[in-house]
Amino acid sequence: DGGITQSPKYLFRKEGQNVTLSCEQNLNHDAMYWYRQDPGQGLRLIYYSQIVNDFQKGDIAEGYSVSREKKESFPLTVTSAQKNPTAFYLCASSTRQGRPDTQYFGPGTRLTVL
Amino acid sequence: DQQVKQNSPSLSVQEGRISILNCDYTNSMFDYFLWYKKYPAEGPTFLISISSIKDKNEDGRFTVFLNKSAKHLSLHIVPSQPGDSAVYFCAAKLYGGSQGNLIFGKGTKLSVKP
């Protein structure tokens, strides 16, 4: 089955620790995205990557870092510099040439920083 | 500055009746609009979309209407079913922007009562 996997589903970390969220896709999509959702808020773009070894900051990139060494993988690191890291994190992917509705989302990771 | 606004945080509708979810936008350079449906603790799933060159798109029980002069779009669900209960996000893509780089509204929680 093709799709996007995010692991783990729930993650707890102590304040001041860096944590890396996993995102893997087997859809052969070129572009991948990380969003953050807070209660009562829409999805806000953190980082996106349109091709391997290249990525761009989104609207709220401060305190986050990413890498794109493989087409299938786009891990997100939440660093200790992120002031409010507790949130629901969503990874998505899309084809570069397709219509915007070809964007697929993973099931999300809920990060809680204690 | 919110470019995509969903001013109703919640909507309650009786089963079998019509659900109308509204979305306003401010940027006239948006050329594609989408609706996503999201259940708790899951990633959003694509529902229906419309290009800015159209004013209506229909898919089964779901119809999206676009009024460019008013910068307003709406999603009609008829008849509404209890399984439609979810959060609905309106999203928009900028002309010339990355296919997957979408700007989301804050969402409207729809509750369909049996």
Side-chain angles (χ1 to χ4, degrees), chain B residues 3 9 12-14 16 23 35 37 40 44 47-49 57 62 64 69 72 77-78 91-92 94 96 99 104 110 112:
Chain B
Q3 298 187 69
S12 184
V13 171
Q14 204 67 31
C23 179
W35 285 93
K37 177 179 179 180
L47 192 59
I48 192 169
S49 62
N57 188 26
F62 303 92
V64 56
S69 60
H72 176 83
I77 306 173
V78 55
L94 278 170
Q99 291 290 15
F104 285 83
L110 173 66
V112 180

Side-chain angles (χ1 to χ4, degrees), chain A residues 78-99:
Chain A
V78 184
T79 76
S80 57
Q82 167 50 233
K83 292 187 174 67
N84 296 298
T86 294
F88 188 53
Y89 290 87
L90 286 159
C91 179
S93 70
S94 70
T95 64
R96 292 179 65 191
Q97 302 302 323
R99 299 185 317 181

Side-chain angles (χ1 to χ4, degrees), chain A residues 98-101, chain B residues 4 27-34 50 52 91-104:
Chain A
R99 299 185 317 181
D101 50 11
Chain B
V4 178
N27 195 331
S28 57
M29 295 301 290
F30 289 140
D31 67 345
Y32 208 83
F33 301 90
L34 305 90
I50 188 167
S52 61
K93 183 188 84 65
L94 278 170
Y95 173 77
S98 163
Q99 291 290 15
N101 195 354
L102 304 175
I103 298 172
F104 285 83

Side-chain angles (χ1 to χ4, degrees), chain A residues 9 33 35 37 40-43 45 48 50 88 90 94-101 103 105-107, chain B residues 32 34 36 38 41-46 49 87 89 93 97-107:
Chain A
K9 193 166 180 67
Y33 310 82
Y35 291 91
Q37 187 191 12
Q41 299 290 323
L43 280 64
L45 184 65
Y48 66 100
Q50 295 194 339
F88 188 53
L90 286 159
S94 70
T95 64
R96 292 179 65 191
Q97 302 302 323
R99 299 185 317 181
D101 50 11
Q103 183 169 180
F105 283 85
Chain B
Y32 208 83
L34 305 90
Y36 281 83
K38 184 181 181 298
E42 293 184 10
T45 54
F46 168 74
S49 62
V87 176
F89 290 99
K93 183 188 84 65
S98 163
Q99 291 290 15
N101 195 354
L102 304 175
I103 298 172
F104 285 83
K106 291 187 177 183

